[in-house]
Amino acid sequence: AAKDGGRGRHHFYDDDLHSDARERQQLEQDLRDAIAGGALELHYQPQIHTKTQTITGFEALLRWKHPRHGYLSPAKFVPVAEETGLVSEIGEWVLRKACRDLAAWPNDVRVAVNVSPLQFANAELPSIVAQAIADSGIAAKRLELEITESVFLGEDASTEAMFGALKDIGVRLALDDFGTGYSSLGYLKKAPFDKIKIDQSFVRGACVEGSRNGAIISSIVSLAEALGMETTAEGVETFDELDLVRLLGCSHIQGYIYEKPLSSAEVVARLERGLVAVASGPRSARASR
Ligand code: C2E
Ligand code: MG
Ligand code: MG
Ligand code: MG
């Protein structure tokens, strides 16, 4: 609710007004102030292993605690950060902060960090990642980088070199939002992913009669298994969806049915209760509406 508090009074941050150059400029300035003033936070959403029902890691999700608008979703400001180039600075902060937080958590949990295509195109990314790992003292294999299919747009020799350099550091790689972009199966063969994240748009509605989503999820799982990759079903909200993605063989689950993104203080409290995860939520989507 807090994040909608400014609607009507302020025009900034309304999706349809993003094209207004002055409002963009204001948002950019606010974002610069936010970086300088420490108003960015990371929240963490547990990722659960389907068979053992234990937490294997947390995805770091950026939040902007805005003085007037409350918590702003990254969907609102990450695009602006990308356009203005601020995403490099923010991305480095995210990497360093996530590694630092992870250092205080049990050794058998990982952290997953979203990497924007712009960061991925920066030849310095491997040294930034290596530095964040070294400074926090974590094992490289506990860090997973989530990248989207869009990094393959305009793919060239440097794309392959980047994958190689990141794998050399020892971090894990996940392909995020799979199936929503310019999907090509060709790059699955070339890129050394450890995990494919099945986009929540396939999970949503998968239990509706006549839906083809189950067939799509099932094919992605077969493909991933054949290539030795894990699969995470994203955005699982209901027990029906949970039952389905389990049946279809997704190795990991992330969604409100287990846990919403938690503040770092909440993560620490959550970890004190151990790694076992318990699902809770509506049976079906209809019940939640
Ligand atoms: P994503 O990487 O696909 O992250 C998953 C999104 O799904 C998150 O939204 C998460 O809160 C949401 N989600 C998880 N489970 C459920 C569920 O059961 N139901 C529903 N309805 N949603 C669920 P969030 O936190 O708003 O992030 C949106 C996107 O912003 C992310 O999508 C990612 O692309 C981007 N993002 C977030 N943090 C960062 C970051 O540090 N750097 C960059 N470059 N992008 C980020
Ligand atoms: Mg992600
Ligand atoms: Mg995703
Ligand atoms: Mg997404």
Side-chain angles (χ1 to χ4, degrees):
K3 90 177 167 196
D4 296 319
R7 290 257 166 87
R9 283 182 292 122
H10 302 279
H11 284 159
F12 310 131
Y13 312 110
D14 280 1
D15 290 327
D16 47 331
L17 290 169
H18 270 181
S19 55
D20 187 305
R22 278 173 60 193
E23 286 171 0
R24 281 250 139 166
Q25 238 169 38
Q26 179 67 51
L27 181 55
E28 183 189 340
Q29 187 52 50
D30 283 4
L31 191 49
R32 282 186 200 281
D33 294 345
I35 299 166
L40 297 184
E41 291 180 12
L42 287 182
H43 286 197
Y44 294 97
Q45 187 177 33
Q47 301 179 318
I48 282 88
H49 188 248
T50 311
K51 290 211 172 101
T52 61
Q53 294 193 64
T54 56
I55 297 173
T56 56
F58 293 84
E59 177 175 7
L61 295 159
L62 198 52
R63 297 289 180 265
W64 175 2
K65 200 170 180 184
H66 193 282
R68 297 188 308 279
H69 301 280
Y71 278 114
L72 287 184
S73 151
K76 295 230 156 156
F77 64 87
V78 167
V80 177
E82 279 176 337
E83 278 172 33
T84 55
L86 284 170
V87 75
S88 303
E89 200 182 321
I90 294 174
E92 184 167 348
W93 177 83
V94 169
L95 270 166
R96 300 186 64 82
K97 171 74 170 143
C99 290
R100 238 184 299 131
D101 283 347
L102 179 69
W105 303 345
N107 266 322
D108 46 359
V109 304
R110 288 191 284 257
V111 75
V113 170
N114 291 284
V115 171
S116 126
L118 259 120
Q119 288 175 272
F120 194 85
N122 176 359
E124 281 171 39
L125 180 65
S127 63
I128 292 168
V129 169
Q131 197 62 51
I133 290 169
D135 290 349
S136 60
I138 62 156
K141 64 173 192 221
R142 296 179 67 200
L143 175 63
E144 187 166 81
L145 303 181
E146 295 195 1
I147 60 171
T148 58
E149 294 163 308
S150 52
V151 303
F152 294 100
L153 286 174
E155 181 191 4
D156 58 22
S158 67
T159 314
E160 212 169 313
M162 179 59 77
F163 280 114
L166 293 172
K167 282 319 289 185
D168 285 347
I169 295 169
V171 296
R172 288 166 52 97
L173 298 175
L175 182 53
D176 203 358
D177 302 342
F178 184 72
T180 59
Y182 306 83
S183 306
S184 149
L185 299 180
Y187 54 66
L188 279 184
K189 175 178 78 179
K190 282 183 284 176
F193 292 110
D194 299 281
K195 183 185 270 183
I196 295 177
K197 298 190 76 180
I198 302 170
D199 191 70
Q200 50 181 284
S201 59
F202 297 112
V203 174
R204 199 75 52 248
C207 299
V208 173
E209 179 111 0
S211 172
R212 298 174 169 193
N213 290 4
I216 294 171
I217 294 171
S218 173
S219 321
I220 298 173
V221 170
S222 309
L223 184 66
E225 279 178 356
L227 296 170
M229 298 171 188
E230 299 174 338
T231 44
T232 301
E234 293 194 279
V236 177
E237 292 184 353
T238 67
F239 276 99
D240 284 348
E241 290 164 357
L242 181 62
D243 290 346
L244 184 69
V245 300
R246 270 189 188 146
L247 185 75
L248 298 177
C250 295
S251 65
H252 291 75
I253 291 159
Q254 184 179 345
Y256 296 170
I257 187 89
Y258 280 111
E259 217 105 41
K260 292 196 169 171
L262 309 170
S263 70
S264 46
E266 286 170 330
V267 170
V268 171
R270 175 64 187 80
L271 286 170
E272 275 166 16
R273 307 202 319 264
L275 295 178
V276 174
V278 179
S280 73
R283 174 82 249 168
S284 66
R286 187 171 298 170
S288 71
R289 272 181 205 134

